[in-house]
Amino acid sequence: MTAPIIAAFLWLATVKAADRPRSLLDQNAAALSPLRAEVRDAIPTHVIPMREHKLAPSTTNLALQRRANFPARLKNIYDVYYSIDLVVGNQTIPVSVDTGSSDTWMVQEPYECVSFWWDEAGKETCGLGSGFKGNLSGGIIPNLPPFVRSYVDGTFVSGVYGREDVSIGGITAHSQRLALVNYTYWHGDGQTSGLLGLAYPYLTSLDGPDQNQPPYDPVFTTMWKSGAIDPVFSIALSRHEDQGNNNNTGADPGTSSKQESYLALGGLPPVDVDETTWARTEIHGMRAIPQWGFETDERGMYIVKPDAFVLQRGGNGTDAGEELVRNTTQVPVLVDVGATLSYLPKGLVNQIYAAFDPPAKYISTGGLFYARCNATVPRFGVQFGNSTFYITSEDLLRQTARDPTGEWCRIGVTDTDTPPHVLGVSFLTNVVAVFDVGKSEMRFAARKRY
Ligand SMILES: *[C@@H]1O[C@H](CO)[C@@H](O)[C@H](O)[C@H]1NC(C)=O
Ligand SMILES: *[C@@H]1O[C@H](CO)[C@@H](O)[C@H](O)[C@H]1NC(C)=O
Ligand SMILES: *[C@@H]1O[C@H](CO)[C@@H](O)[C@H](O)[C@H]1NC(C)=O
Ligand SMILES: *[C@@H]1O[C@H](CO)[C@@H](O)[C@H](O)[C@H]1NC(C)=O
Ligand SMILES: *[C@@H]1O[C@H](CO)[C@@H](O)[C@H](O)[C@H]1NC(C)=O
Ligand SMILES: *[C@@H]1O[C@H](CO)[C@@H](O)[C@H](O)[C@H]1NC(C)=O
Ligand SMILES: *[C@@H]1O[C@H](CO)[C@@H](O)[C@H](O)[C@H]1NC(C)=O
Ligand SMILES: *[C@@H]1O[C@H](CO)[C@@H](O)[C@H](O)[C@H]1NC(C)=O
């Protein structure tokens, strides 16, 4: 185990704001499976009024007797990252949401931003919004080493740990341990002031020279351990930016539009899914990614193993839909809302590039693969259980992320042979993703067209 590996897996700054996917969902309808009923019983959907949940007969799961979920609106920041309002004490602090890290932090005024010469724009503030002011009601936690984190995109934060009540969409983590940052290199765009880390407690222990600090409970863990919610959250990301009225004020399913993005604590977000496509897969422990060198089965991040990657010929010709690749090699993959693109094995991604017509090519100025914006796009999907979740053509070939000539568009999947592989926003905009920490499994269902 080495220190740099566990830079948390927040990739939000690796792609600039111009990188905006747009697309429609084109989902196959898998056969109706018994899983469907099971999933729906286990987790009440938000669209059913809360009172009915409380009255629902409970057979197998305590969930039915508890409160339903509390979807808080996520704000889509150029499709690059998603933010949410945290209420910290009595201050509202917008933060980015990350499922690849576990700490929750925000800058405290005044703070110092390290600026690098190539980053003129963020000189004063590192692109952070206004931070927490004054002192935490729970004070600074004495006798702890400082909070220091670095992220895979080269950014870092440092500060101290303190305690405060933290609320999201009306659910409160009381006396939550969080970090106040006073020294950072960051490149935000002025809209958020920190980060909400939704991964497991284990990651919080990977601190200090030996990366073996006692772990602490992150915000989501505190919430479910207190019984305020069930140990599950789910995420629905919209690939479109919200139009105006985006208030992050929490549960308001009655007025939900299909283009909103949600974090639902304790249940499902209020978006339409193809109910026949529900599939589940185990969340694996840290040792699932051998290159990280962890010996533990402890869960840290949302590591899953897709049952297959499926590539089909695109276009309208007679051979459209022909299966080009079905690779059932089990590869561990992080589900990470903090990553814009999806990062998959090189061999596979090369097959995807070649399946564009005309084929994609590497553009050095963009540092990634691009295809002609009018190319025929193959169908690429990730299979879990009996369902294949396709990345729609506009997420696979992102019309709004163009090279300087304007003729080449960026591919939404990129290759890496250095773990971790990642299913990022370009995948997640096509599904509802349920992070069921209680059952140590993830579930997915295909979004209806939006
Ligand atoms: C997948 O499909 C097979 C064959 O139709 C069925 O036996 C099995 O139960 C299904 N699995 C799930 C998880 O739905
Ligand atoms: C917020 O809380 C602090 C300390 O608890 C208090 O001094 C301050 O007046 C409060 N501000 C508002 C706007 O309620
Ligand atoms: C915060 O606490 C410090 C000492 O811990 C104190 O000097 C300072 O006045 C406090 N600030 C506010 C705004 O309460
Ligand atoms: C940040 O806070 C720590 C702990 O209070 C302090 O030692 C350090 O000098 C501060 N750094 C800056 C840049 O303000
Ligand atoms: C957000 O909500 C606040 C208070 O509920 C309201 O004053 C404000 O106008 C709203 N903003 C938008 C953009 O709807
Ligand atoms: C494919 O068919 C759709 C309608 O089915 C049409 O809108 C589209 O233009 C066709 N594309 C090509 C490349 O022929
Ligand atoms: C399937 O994927 C694995 C892992 O990426 C790779 O090693 C293997 O070569 C692939 N198989 C085929 C037939 O492409
Ligand atoms: C695609 O766009 C290129 C210019 O970028 C053009 O030369 C080519 O003819 C177009 N192909 C089709 C099929 O429209």
Side-chain angles (χ1 to χ4, degrees):
M1 168 165 63
T2 52
I5 296 229
I6 239 23
F9 292 96
L10 172 79
W11 304 62
L12 62 83
T14 57
V15 179
K16 296 296 179 219
D19 197 358
R20 310 176 186 191
R22 293 282 182 276
S23 96
L24 293 171
L25 187 68
D26 178 20
Q27 175 56 45
N28 75 327
L32 213 92
S33 86
L35 187 56
R36 171 194 168 183
E38 198 180 326
V39 168
R40 291 192 31 92
D41 286 350
I43 308 277
T45 59
H46 189 90
V47 286
I48 303 166
M50 194 179 297
R51 202 175 295 116
E52 288 185 23
H53 283 297
K54 287 185 173 164
L55 296 174
S58 172
T59 49
T60 56
N61 198 316
L62 276 176
L64 294 174
Q65 294 177 325
R66 297 231 188 107
R67 308 174 71 181
N69 45 319
F70 301 86
R73 295 229 177 103
L74 287 171
K75 189 170 182 186
N76 176 344
I77 313 285
Y78 303 123
D79 300 309
V80 176
Y81 60 96
Y82 291 79
S83 76
I84 200 164
D85 280 352
L86 288 189
V87 179
V88 182
N90 56 15
Q91 300 177 34
T92 299
I93 311 278
V95 295
S96 326
V97 175
D98 186 28
T99 54
S101 65
S102 298
D103 304 292
T104 290
W105 60 262
M106 61 223 56
V107 285
Q108 181 181 30
E109 307 279 354
Y111 59 93
E112 188 177 329
C113 162
V114 188
S115 56
F116 291 145
W117 60 269
W118 65 83
D119 202 6
E120 285 296 315
K123 241 181 177 150
E124 301 294 320
T125 63
C126 286
L128 288 155
S130 67
F132 187 86
K133 298 181 184 69
N135 295 333
L136 299 173
S137 67
I140 301 303
I141 304 173
N143 306 321
L144 280 183
F147 168 74
V148 182
R149 285 288 184 270
S150 52
Y151 298 90
V152 288
D153 61 5
T155 56
F156 70 85
V157 288
S158 78
V160 293
Y161 288 108
R163 290 196 182 278
E164 185 54 274
D165 289 352
V166 176
S167 303
I168 305 169
I171 301 295
T172 301
H174 292 281
S175 192
Q176 172 63 42
R177 176 165 161 183
L178 51 78
L180 291 180
V181 164
N182 68 351
Y183 185 66
T184 178
Y185 172 59
W186 197 253
H187 23 238
D189 65 0
Q191 299 207 36
T192 58
S193 309
L195 192 67
L196 169 67
L198 290 170
Y200 286 85
Y202 182 76
L203 293 191
T204 68
S205 71
L206 304 177
D207 202 359
D210 301 325
Q211 301 208 331
N212 62 351
Q213 296 297 311
Y216 69 89
D217 285 348
V219 170
F220 167 66
T221 310
T222 303
M223 286 176 173
W224 71 255
K225 283 192 176 172
S226 75
I229 52 168
D230 290 313
V232 59
F233 69 90
S234 52
I235 282 179
L237 303 183
S238 167
R239 66 181 64 88
H240 304 286
E241 281 170 70
D242 290 320
Q243 310 291 318
N245 192 21
N246 185 341
N247 235 334
N248 287 354
T249 45
D252 192 11
T255 60
S256 73
S257 111
K258 287 181 179 174
Q259 298 196 7
E260 279 166 354
S261 300
Y262 292 97
L263 167 64
L265 297 169
L268 296 180
V271 297
D272 294 335
V273 297
D274 180 344
E275 299 288 350
T276 64
T277 60
W278 279 110
R280 61 159 47 114
T281 191
E282 181 190 345
I283 300 170
H284 294 267
M286 294 296 279
R287 73 159 77 224
I289 299 183
Q291 293 86 344
W292 283 350
F294 290 99
E295 314 259 284
T296 180
D297 286 323
E298 191 89 24
R299 292 180 175 84
M301 285 177 256
Y302 300 99
I303 303 170
V304 298
K305 293 183 179 173
D307 292 302
F309 295 105
V310 180
L311 183 63
Q312 296 171 356
R313 197 183 300 282
N316 289 355
T318 49
D319 54 1
E322 175 199 355
E323 193 162 287
L324 301 172
V325 175
R326 170 173 298 266
N327 192 325
T328 55
T329 305
Q330 301 254 304
V331 184
V333 174
L334 285 189
V335 181
D336 190 359
V337 65
T340 302
L341 302 177
S342 296
Y343 298 75
L344 296 173
K346 203 181 192 79
L348 172 71
V349 175
N350 282 338
Q351 289 168 317
I352 299 173
Y353 294 154
F356 281 81
D357 184 16
K361 69 166 191 185
Y362 182 76
I363 295 189
S364 59
T365 51
L368 288 168
F369 273 77
Y370 287 70
R372 286 276 183 203
C373 297
N374 60 2
T376 299
V377 181
R379 282 189 101 205
F380 173 64
V382 183
Q383 183 182 332
F384 291 102
N386 288 345
S387 292
T388 302
F389 300 98
Y390 289 95
I391 298 182
T392 57
S393 60
E394 285 140 291
D395 283 340
L396 208 47
L397 186 61
R398 312 174 80 208
Q399 296 294 326
T400 50
R402 298 193 177 216
D403 87 321
T405 70
E407 291 179 5
W408 295 82
C409 285
R410 180 176 291 170
I411 313 269
V413 175
T414 192
D415 65 277
T416 175
D417 275 338
T418 313
H421 301 300
V422 174
L423 291 174
V425 171
S426 66
F427 173 77
L428 290 169
T429 47
N430 298 283
V431 297
V432 163
V434 180
F435 299 72
D436 193 332
V437 167
K439 290 186 174 167
S440 300
E441 69 179 26
M442 290 210 58
R443 293 186 291 279
F444 298 98
R447 293 281 295 272
K448 291 215 168 133
R449 294 174 79 94
Y450 68 93

